[in-house]
């Protein structure tokens, strides 16, 4: 019997007390899972609000965090107006929309797809890799073949808007990740940055369900106009996403190369294990990026978002402008993250 379970049963026997953030609902030690937590879901950027609402249709009914995060991130994946995720994502420099995604549950099960083309819901393919194969990662053509063999539909993910942006970009063909709107004084009239103000972003989502279990999902079309075949942090377990059901979960957004270098999301979870709050852990990870790449860090955006087992959450970013969305039984909010610069 796990220490956690012993502890829970002992608590039930002694009294029907209210533990920190948890109500003990059972009155005998023999009933299974005698604890109800307050479910919560958090996700990156303001478009995380709609994604959280999708997750909440499952979490709010006592559903599993894993199902909730998959359902949640499918919303921006299917949204053609979101040019950094799924359908409508900005392409690589050769005009291919290539998607990166991963998912992780409360038992260290995880699945990932890298540089996947033609499938809207990369996250669901990642989940299938986790559940139906002996592997964790499938990439490129192999990931596509696997998806098609499992009934996913082949689609053209390049919308006319994203194709137009790419063709405009081809005139200069300069690879230039943009920080975010607030920090770039973006001027739509002059359009100094072909491809728009947000030429990269990701939905990273982590959640805790009523059973107190954590899961996470992360999905993106990655950096616009990247070299064909480039893979970012988002589908890399430990970099773009990490879940440790004893401690907490974290996810990231921003220039993936810098997140991979420090294995960012795993670092955030390990810092929480050492006692840092979610916000302090995210801040420390951001500072690690500055230490590794002091000059570069001034010109790029990276943001981390974390949730611990008590349901506390926090974020930190290099630059101003990173936002994150929170949904629980008590709130539905979008917060501006603190930042170093
Ligand atoms: N992390 C993503 C990547 O590097 C992009 C982003 O979240 O802005 O592909």
């Amino acid at each position: 019997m796990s220490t956690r379970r012993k502890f829970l049963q002992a608590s039930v026997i002694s009294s029907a007390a209210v533990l920190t953030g948890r109500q003990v609902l059972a009155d005998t030690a023999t009933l299974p899972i005698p604890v109800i937590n307050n479910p919560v879901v958090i996700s990156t950027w303001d478009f995380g609000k709609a994604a959280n609402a999708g997750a909440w249709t499952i979490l709010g009914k006592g559903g599993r965090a894993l199902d909730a995060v998959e359902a949640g991130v499918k919303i921006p994946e299917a949204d053609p107006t979101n040019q950094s995720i799924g359908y409508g994502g900005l392409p690589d420099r050769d005009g291919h929309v290539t998607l990166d995604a991963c998912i992780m549950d409360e038992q260290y099960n995880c699945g990932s797809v890298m540089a996947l083309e033609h499938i809207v819901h990369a996250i669901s393919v990642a989940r299938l890799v986790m559940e139906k194969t002996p592997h964790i990662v499938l990439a490129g053509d192999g990931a596509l073949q696997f998806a098609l063999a499992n009934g996913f539909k082949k689609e053209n993910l390049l919308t006319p808007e994203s194709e137009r942006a790419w063709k405009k970009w081809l005139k200069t063909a300069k690879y230039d990740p943009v920080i975010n709107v607030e920090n770039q004084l973006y001027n739509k009239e002059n359009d100094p940055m072909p491809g728009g103000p947000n030429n990269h972003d990701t939905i990273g989502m982590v959640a805790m369900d009523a059973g107190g279990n954590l899961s996470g999902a992360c999905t993106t079309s990655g950096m616009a106009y990247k070299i064909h075949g480039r893979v970012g942090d988002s589908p890399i377990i430990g970099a773009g996403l990490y879940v440790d059901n004893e401690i907490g979960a974290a996810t990231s957004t921003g220039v993936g190369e810098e997140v991979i270098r420090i294995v960012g999301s795993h670092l955030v979870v390990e810092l929480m294990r050492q006692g840092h709050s979610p916000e302090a852990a995210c801040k420390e990870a951001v500072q690690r990026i500055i230490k590794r790449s002091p000059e570069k860090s001034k010109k790029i955006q990276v943001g981390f978002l974390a949730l611990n087992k008590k349901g506390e959450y926090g974020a930190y970013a290099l630059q101003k402008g990173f936002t994150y969305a929170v949904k629980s039984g008590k709130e539905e909010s979008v917060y501006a993250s603190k930042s170093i610069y």
Side-chain angles (χ1 to χ4, degrees):
M1 188 188 296
S2 72
T3 316
R4 175 177 153 78
R5 188 149 178 88
K6 270 191 229 152
F7 167 67
L8 294 176
Q9 292 193 350
S11 303
V12 174
I13 291 163
S14 60
S15 74
V18 175
L19 299 177
T20 324
R22 298 174 182 137
Q23 284 181 299
V24 179
L25 293 185
D27 57 3
T28 80
T30 52
L31 289 180
I33 319 175
V35 171
I36 296 282
N37 286 258
N38 296 317
V40 55
V41 56
I42 60 175
S43 57
T44 52
W45 302 106
D46 45 4
F47 52 70
K49 191 175 174 193
N52 287 355
W56 195 255
T57 60
I58 291 170
L59 277 186
K61 288 190 210 130
R64 191 178 171 201
L66 181 71
D67 296 327
V69 294
E70 181 190 3
V73 304
K74 281 172 81 171
I75 287 172
E77 276 187 340
D79 179 357
T81 66
N82 189 322
Q83 290 184 299
S84 54
I85 299 161
Y87 177 59
L90 289 168
D92 64 21
R93 67 182 190 186
D94 300 331
H96 302 275
V97 180
T98 68
L99 307 180
D100 291 342
C102 75
I103 193 160
M104 189 162 186
D105 75 4
E106 74 281 2
Q107 295 171 319
Y108 305 102
N109 295 313
C110 42
S112 158
V113 288
M114 300 182 177
L116 172 66
E117 292 184 56
H118 305 301
I119 305 290
V120 174
H121 292 302
I123 198 66
S124 299
V125 185
R127 180 163 179 181
L128 220 58
V129 172
M130 171 173 95
E131 291 179 341
K132 297 265 164 69
T133 80
H135 308 305
I136 289 179
V137 184
L138 291 182
D141 282 349
L144 176 60
Q145 275 171 32
F146 172 77
L148 296 176
N150 282 283
F152 286 83
K153 206 169 119 214
K154 188 169 182 178
E155 288 179 66
N156 175 19
L157 305 185
L158 188 63
T159 55
E161 291 71 29
S162 290
E163 188 172 10
R164 253 196 310 277
W166 167 60
K167 289 202 168 136
K168 201 167 180 185
W169 175 82
L170 280 175
K171 290 182 188 148
T172 53
K174 193 164 167 268
Y175 182 72
D176 192 12
V178 173
I179 292 175
N180 46 45
V181 187
E182 290 79 353
N183 227 36
Q184 286 292 316
L185 303 172
Y186 178 70
N187 178 339
K188 276 197 175 120
E189 276 68 58
N190 299 334
D191 196 4
M193 286 164 286
N198 277 322
N199 64 11
H200 61 95
D201 276 350
T202 292
I203 181 103
M205 173 181 281
V206 296
M208 182 165 67
D209 61 30
N213 286 319
L214 299 167
S215 289
C218 189
T219 176
T220 186
S221 50
M223 308 300 286
Y225 320 130
K226 59 196 174 186
I227 294 173
H228 185 58
R230 178 264 186 190
V231 170
D233 59 321
S234 307
I236 299 179
I237 300 297
L241 176 74
Y242 197 68
V243 178
D244 185 324
N245 207 42
E246 280 179 19
I247 304 299
T251 188
S252 64
T253 183
V255 175
E257 282 73 8
E258 299 311 307
V259 177
I260 294 170
R261 240 186 270 289
I262 64 156
V263 200
S265 292
H266 184 261
L267 174 62
V268 170
V269 171
E270 289 307 300
L271 288 163
M272 292 197 288
R273 191 191 307 278
Q274 288 166 24
H276 286 62
S277 69
E279 183 184 300
C282 291
K283 184 176 183 184
E284 178 70 29
V286 168
Q287 278 166 332
R288 194 74 67 91
I289 288 178
I290 296 173
K291 204 168 160 195
R292 295 280 183 275
S293 313
E295 280 317 303
K296 199 168 176 196
S297 72
K298 293 177 193 153
K299 299 180 207 119
I300 59 162
Q301 177 63 300
V302 171
F304 290 104
L305 179 61
L307 176 69
N308 70 15
K309 271 302 259 197
K310 288 188 242 164
E312 297 164 339
Y313 54 80
Y316 226 89
L318 278 171
Q319 317 284 342
K320 288 189 180 52
F322 174 44
T323 55
Y324 63 99
V326 178
K327 172 83 183 115
S328 70
K330 286 180 282 187
E331 66 168 323
E332 182 167 29
S333 322
V334 175
Y335 294 102
S337 166
K338 291 184 191 162
S339 63
I340 303 283
Y341 297 124

